[in-house]
Amino acid sequence: MTKVKSRTVFVPPRRGRGTVDDPLSASGVRFTPQRRQVYEVLLSKRDHPTAEEVYLRAKSRMPEISLATVYNCLDTLVRASLVKQVNLNRTAARFCPNMNHHSHFHCDQCAEVFDIDGDAGTRRTAGRLPRGFKLRHLEMSLHGLCPTCAAKRQ
Amino acid sequence: MTKVKSRTVFVPPRRGRGTVDDPLSASGVRFTPQRRQVYEVLLSKRDHPTAEEVYLRAKSRMPEISLATVYNCLDTLVRASLVKQVNLNRTAARFCPNMNHHSHFHCDQCAEVFDIDGDAGTRRTAGRLPRGFKLRHLEMSLHGLCPTCAAKRQ
DNA sequence: ATTGAGAATTGGAATTATTCCAACTATTGA
DNA sequence: TCAATAGTTGGAATAATTCCAATTCTCAAT
């Protein structure tokens, strides 16, 4: 059943050290070696890895990093709006460093995830909300066949 | 890691017995007592219960029903397009018998889920897809504060 | 009606993804 | 330099869901 999680609220701006155009430090998150590593794993191969996959990739360059830390770092990055978390039906969450407006297309056949650019995912597409609702965030997810798998089905 | 699940493909039309306007039999799904019970639980209180909640409600009228069966029935109903499965971040899936076009608003405060009617969720809102993608299904989920919780924050 | 094949159900065990926890380490600001 | 706070670690715990093997049910053909 559901449990309320007490979680320290994300405290945004604190002093970072890195260059100004470094999104990690610019975001106000303290950039520890682990967080940087996790972020770089995401940036270097933008294939929407799961936490487990991020862990394996990060480990190859930083062998002592733990899975728990990867989860923590991903969580921090998501809260800092540097990374998007993509939730698909019944599978592990995936992570994506593309913060432009886009939606995700999930191929039912090969299970790959594709970024679909465009304004799907902007407030506009949400339509008119009934009075009183305060929208913070929206997410559009698409399902079907990717070009490759669609072609294979003649 | 991911595993490919072998699952019997859904076989639509078979002969049912119920009245023609009964969506369960009209859908071609064999309406077993358990499936009917699960479906009725969803229809009778449309508050997006989790599988566990459906199980508890169903059990009160059909004490021998098992949780595994509830999962099976929900799965069958979803495949038969009688029920929508709503996936929210990191929590149990929820189920919804409203098959009209609508999206789901998830209150970050009270965690309740609201149906938002309108064309968000129609193909149109997906925008233009790159060549080759075959869209089958789309889902829009909204996050923020529901009217009650928004008011409490004045 | 009887029967046999295929479906559905059951309870419990297993799995998967994620979170929790307590001990330890690193960093920051006074 | 030191205390306070934040972050990391490994392992244990939890939650949701799936799997499995045994049983029961249903349908259709005899």
Side-chain angles (χ1 to χ4, degrees):
Chain A
M1 300 264 94
T2 325
K3 189 175 26 156
V4 179
K5 25 191 156 186
S6 67
R7 190 186 270 293
T8 23
V9 177
F10 179 67
V11 185
R14 207 142 354 133
R15 184 117 322 278
R17 263 211 250 86
T19 56
V20 179
D21 58 345
D22 174 348
L24 238 188
S25 58
S27 72
V29 185
R30 194 154 93 192
F31 63 109
T32 66
Q34 288 86 347
R35 286 176 182 172
R36 182 171 294 288
Q37 182 62 55
V38 164
Y39 190 47
E40 257 152 28
V41 162
L42 290 174
L43 288 175
S44 66
K45 196 172 172 209
R46 291 155 167 267
D47 61 348
H48 306 89
T50 63
E52 182 84 25
E53 285 161 352
V54 171
Y55 169 58
L56 294 173
R57 293 179 198 175
K59 214 158 96 152
S60 70
R61 309 186 124 224
M62 186 184 260
E64 347 65 51
I65 199 172
S66 75
L67 178 56
T69 297
V70 169
Y71 272 103
N72 289 339
C73 292
L74 287 170
D75 191 65
T76 304
L77 295 172
V78 168
R79 286 155 171 276
S81 301
L82 289 168
V83 164
K84 274 186 180 158
Q85 175 169 347
V86 187
N87 290 92
L88 303 162
N89 281 8
R90 303 171 172 216
T91 57
R94 292 165 175 281
F95 297 88
C96 157
N98 173 2
M99 294 303 290
N100 299 329
H101 277 307
H102 68 286
S103 50
H104 290 109
F105 189 102
H106 179 215
C107 179
D108 295 329
Q109 190 77 50
C110 66
E112 251 192 276
V113 177
F114 302 84
D115 283 2
I116 305 291
D117 295 321
D119 68 349
T122 55
R123 274 184 130 72
R124 255 200 47 251
T125 49
R128 202 171 274 89
L129 283 173
R131 161 170 289 286
F133 284 96
K134 291 277 170 280
L135 184 63
R136 266 188 191 160
H137 181 72
L138 73 115
E139 199 178 328
M140 150 130 12
S141 67
L142 312 171
H143 291 260
L145 296 175
C146 73
T148 313
C149 292
K152 277 186 192 145
R153 300 235 179 146
Q154 88 260 350
Chain B
M1 298 268 94
T2 326
K3 187 175 26 158
V4 178
K5 24 192 155 186
S6 67
R7 189 185 273 293
T8 23
V9 178
F10 178 68
V11 185
R14 204 144 356 136
R15 181 115 324 279
R17 264 210 248 84
T19 56
V20 180
D21 59 344
D22 176 347
L24 235 189
S25 57
S27 72
V29 185
R30 193 154 95 193
F31 63 109
T32 66
Q34 289 85 349
R35 285 176 183 172
R36 182 170 295 288
Q37 182 62 54
V38 164
Y39 191 46
E40 258 152 28
V41 162
L42 289 175
L43 289 175
S44 65
K45 196 172 173 210
R46 291 154 167 270
D47 61 347
H48 306 87
T50 63
E52 181 85 24
E53 285 161 352
V54 172
Y55 170 58
L56 294 173
R57 294 179 198 173
K59 216 159 93 152
S60 70
R61 308 186 123 222
M62 186 185 262
E64 347 66 49
I65 200 172
S66 76
L67 178 56
T69 296
V70 169
Y71 272 103
N72 289 339
C73 293
L74 288 170
D75 191 64
T76 303
L77 295 172
V78 168
R79 285 154 171 277
S81 301
L82 290 168
V83 164
K84 273 186 180 160
Q85 176 170 348
V86 187
N87 291 92
L88 303 162
N89 281 8
R90 303 168 172 218
T91 57
R94 292 166 175 280
F95 297 87
C96 158
N98 172 1
M99 293 304 288
N100 298 329
H101 276 307
H102 69 285
S103 50
H104 292 109
F105 189 102
H106 179 217
C107 179
D108 295 329
Q109 189 78 48
C110 66
E112 251 193 277
V113 177
F114 302 83
D115 282 3
I116 305 290
D117 294 321
D119 69 348
T122 55
R123 274 182 132 69
R124 255 201 47 251
T125 48
R128 201 171 273 90
L129 283 173
R131 160 170 291 285
F133 284 95
K134 292 276 171 279
L135 184 63
R136 265 189 190 158
H137 180 73
L138 72 114
E139 201 179 327
M140 155 140 354
S141 67
L142 312 172
H143 291 260
L145 295 176
C146 73
T148 313
C149 292
K152 278 185 192 147
R153 301 235 181 143
Q154 80 258 355

